[in-house]
Amino acid sequence: MNKNNEEYLVMHAHTTGLNDNFDDEIVEIAIINNDEKVLLNTLVKPKKIISDSAIQIHKITNETVKNSRVFLDIYDDLKSILCNKKVYIYNASFLLNILKSTLNINNLELINFDAICVMNLFSNNVYREYNDYYSNFNFQSLLTAYTYYYKNDEFKLLNKYGDRTYKALNDCLMTSKIIQKINQK
């Protein structure tokens, strides 16, 4: 963890689906730095339609993104922000697979950065709900991790930027607050 104030980024994204076939794409992405300065916060028009299951989760519809930039339009900015940086991500394995899928669909090169999974850090080192069947700790949702530390502030941060519907930025902010709490230990 980042206990010595070194710089890092926090990234979150929402997708066209749950990546069951490794062909889903990013429809919203946000990145902040360790001071919670917004570096990127945008909707993205995907090449495929957004699945109903994904819409139920993030409420971003095909209509919502129809006039948004395509991924190719944000790639250079994304690459310059992420390249060779330390990036904290809640549920990193999922987001990294989606990013790889999106890059592949758009015939773009992978971006080199150091991804750290905050879900693993929280679930394995803080919450520690053991699963005897799998002999490991159960993963905890972002909202579970956030409310673990901010029990009386469950929705204040969630609504910091108004409408919770497009929430990648709010999820970055929640992840940032979790990182800060983990670093205090």
Side-chain angles (χ1 to χ4, degrees), residues 69-129:
R69 297 184 294 169
V70 295
F71 192 81
L72 185 60
D73 293 341
I74 70 162
Y75 175 74
D76 288 338
D77 290 340
L78 185 65
K79 187 174 182 179
S80 69
I81 293 167
L82 293 177
C83 195
N84 298 317
K85 300 286 185 358
K86 181 183 284 190
V87 183
Y88 286 93
I89 304 167
Y90 210 89
N91 196 0
S93 63
F94 177 76
L95 195 145
L96 292 173
N97 282 331
I98 291 290
L99 180 59
K100 287 177 188 172
S101 175
T102 303
L103 291 168
N104 185 48
I105 288 165
N106 289 279
N107 297 313
L108 296 167
E109 292 180 9
L110 291 176
I111 302 169
N112 183 41
F113 61 94
D114 181 20
I116 298 108
C117 185
V118 179
M119 182 173 69
N120 286 345
L121 292 172
F122 177 77
S123 298
N124 296 335
N125 301 308
V126 178
Y127 204 83
R128 300 179 58 83
E129 179 182 87

Side-chain angles (χ1 to χ4, degrees), residues 3-184:
K3 294 186 186 246
N4 58 1
N5 293 328
E6 78 183 301
E7 293 184 19
Y8 61 87
L9 304 176
V10 178
M11 179 169 60
H12 199 87
H14 293 112
T15 67
T16 57
L18 303 177
N19 215 29
D20 297 328
N21 298 314
F22 300 101
D23 64 348
D24 282 304
E25 300 173 67
I26 291 171
V27 297
E28 180 190 29
I29 187 166
I31 302 171
I32 62 174
N33 69 11
N34 53 298
D35 293 324
E36 297 182 351
K37 178 183 174 193
V38 178
L39 305 178
L40 181 67
N41 182 31
T42 188
L43 291 169
V44 179
K45 181 180 178 181
K47 291 184 176 187
K48 68 182 288 186
I49 64 167
I50 303 170
S51 71
D52 290 339
S53 59
I55 292 170
Q56 286 179 338
I57 294 168
H58 54 55
K59 311 295 188 250
I60 300 169
T61 66
N62 295 293
E63 180 71 17
T64 306
V65 297
K66 76 176 182 181
N67 295 318
S68 299
R69 297 184 294 169
V70 295
F71 192 81
L72 185 60
D73 293 341
I74 70 162
Y75 175 74
D76 288 338
D77 290 340
L78 185 65
K79 187 174 182 179
S80 69
I81 293 167
L82 293 177
C83 195
N84 298 317
K85 300 286 185 358
K86 181 183 284 190
V87 183
Y88 286 93
I89 304 167
Y90 210 89
N91 196 0
S93 63
F94 177 76
L95 195 145
L96 292 173
N97 282 331
I98 291 290
L99 180 59
K100 287 177 188 172
S101 175
T102 303
L103 291 168
N104 185 48
I105 288 165
N106 289 279
N107 297 313
L108 296 167
E109 292 180 9
L110 291 176
I111 302 169
N112 183 41
F113 61 94
D114 181 20
I116 298 108
C117 185
V118 179
M119 182 173 69
N120 286 345
L121 292 172
F122 177 77
S123 298
N124 296 335
N125 301 308
V126 178
Y127 204 83
R128 300 179 58 83
E129 179 182 87
Y130 196 74
N131 184 316
D132 289 323
Y133 183 78
Y134 291 108
S135 299
N136 62 12
F137 295 104
N138 290 324
F139 292 134
Q140 301 302 318
S141 72
L142 177 57
L143 190 57
T144 296
Y146 181 75
T147 56
Y148 177 85
Y149 293 114
Y150 299 96
K151 291 174 180 52
N152 298 322
D153 189 28
E154 183 173 348
F155 295 103
K156 183 177 178 185
L157 178 64
L158 299 179
N159 293 307
K160 181 176 181 178
Y161 288 95
D163 188 1
R164 172 87 172 118
T165 304
Y166 314 133
K167 61 186 180 182
L169 178 58
N170 283 325
D171 291 349
C172 280
L173 292 167
M174 285 195 302
T175 301
S176 177
K177 298 297 185 195
I178 294 163
I179 294 164
Q180 292 168 22
K181 287 294 189 179
I182 291 172
N183 281 336
Q184 289 177 358

